Amino acid sequence: MGRVIEMRVSDEPAGTVDDWGRDPGLVRSMMQLARIRWDVSVGGDQRLPRRKGGLVVVNTRRFALTPIFAAFAISEAVDRPVRFAGRPDTAPVGAFARRIGGLLDHPDEVGGALAAGQLVVVGAEPGEHGSDFVGIVDHAIVGAALAAGASVYPAATSSSPLMRAARVEIGPASKSPRKRRGPLTELELADRVRLDISLLLDELGELHTGTPLDWLPISGLGGA
């Protein structure tokens, strides 16, 4: 895929679809729907590149919508398209997720988007040992970012199960503890990103993570 000419989200024309199948009009509608559920504050967005590609890794739990939630919030904060990795490859959910900015959770697709100057959000593996546990970060996706020359940013997400207030806090780009080349580089950087997310979560305090039921008005739940 060729390089996409970026523009502000607020200036994107309706009725168009980009090289990855993202529909700006539908994305804006989904953002408005998300605002009904969440009142999101984003910190650290000034750390993200304004034109170059960047990979943002967030904490998540099983069945959570964190990458979508974070992508919408960050997109509004930086006023540029932000994609999320992890859409299914089956219809109709996969097709809908593609239209709202979803990419396949595959190094080739994520790496191609990063090389074309896109911002992409991807979730760590779901934590299984409590809400403050950060799961494994996919080293292959991190390796795709390295190959594309894109920085990798840790981000902690937090929201209340009973209130609209939510938070996305983006930290400085993670750095591998050692300067080396080869397969170990992406493994060490993935571990570093995981640690950096945990440190950000400690700063945010107790984490509350929700599920897709959050979208039901009667659920009263909140998740990120």
Side-chain angles (χ1 to χ4, degrees):
M1 294 185 182
R3 179 171 293 277
V4 175
I5 299 175
E6 289 290 358
M7 63 175 64
R8 297 190 306 169
V9 169
S10 52
D11 291 338
E12 287 182 297
T16 61
V17 176
D18 66 19
D19 289 348
W20 285 270
R22 179 179 175 278
D23 180 340
L26 180 59
V27 170
R28 281 194 289 268
S29 296
M30 292 302 296
M31 284 181 172
Q32 291 175 354
L33 179 60
R35 290 191 201 105
I36 297 174
R37 172 59 190 91
W38 291 297
D39 180 14
V40 187
S41 60
V42 177
D45 52 286
Q46 73 280 359
R47 296 187 169 108
L48 298 177
R50 295 300 167 177
R51 296 186 181 182
K52 293 177 58 179
L55 181 68
V56 182
V57 185
V58 299
N59 57 290
T60 186
R61 292 183 70 187
R62 201 171 303 280
F63 307 120
L65 300 174
T66 316
I68 303 175
F69 163 90
F72 285 169
I74 295 171
S75 181
E76 288 192 279
V78 301
D79 199 14
R80 62 175 291 195
V82 177
R83 304 174 194 279
F84 61 91
R87 73 170 177 84
D89 196 20
T90 55
V93 177
F96 177 77
R98 182 175 62 247
R99 292 185 64 203
I100 62 173
L103 301 173
L104 293 174
D105 191 10
H106 190 280
D108 289 344
E109 180 147 297
V110 173
L114 293 171
Q118 305 293 298
L119 290 178
V120 180
V121 174
V122 64
E125 288 294 322
E128 299 177 352
H129 301 289
S131 60
D132 59 349
F133 181 82
V134 181
I136 294 172
V137 174
D138 189 343
H139 69 86
I141 298 294
V142 170
L146 290 174
S151 295
V152 183
Y153 300 85
T157 61
S158 177
S159 67
S160 168
L162 300 176
M163 303 176 67
R164 293 180 64 238
R167 180 77 176 171
V168 177
E169 185 66 34
I170 303 164
S174 295
K175 304 295 183 183
S176 180
R178 304 176 188 175
K179 292 184 178 180
R180 69 164 90 204
R181 296 181 179 179
L184 288 179
T185 302
E186 62 187 55
L187 289 168
E188 290 179 346
L189 182 55
D191 285 342
R192 181 70 233 183
V193 174
R194 182 182 181 187
L195 175 60
D196 288 343
I197 296 173
S198 295
L199 294 174
L200 287 171
L201 287 173
D202 288 342
E203 294 178 2
L204 284 182
E206 185 177 4
L207 172 70
H208 300 275
T209 303
T211 71
L213 293 178
D214 297 349
W215 295 92
L216 297 178
I218 62 173
S219 69
L221 297 176

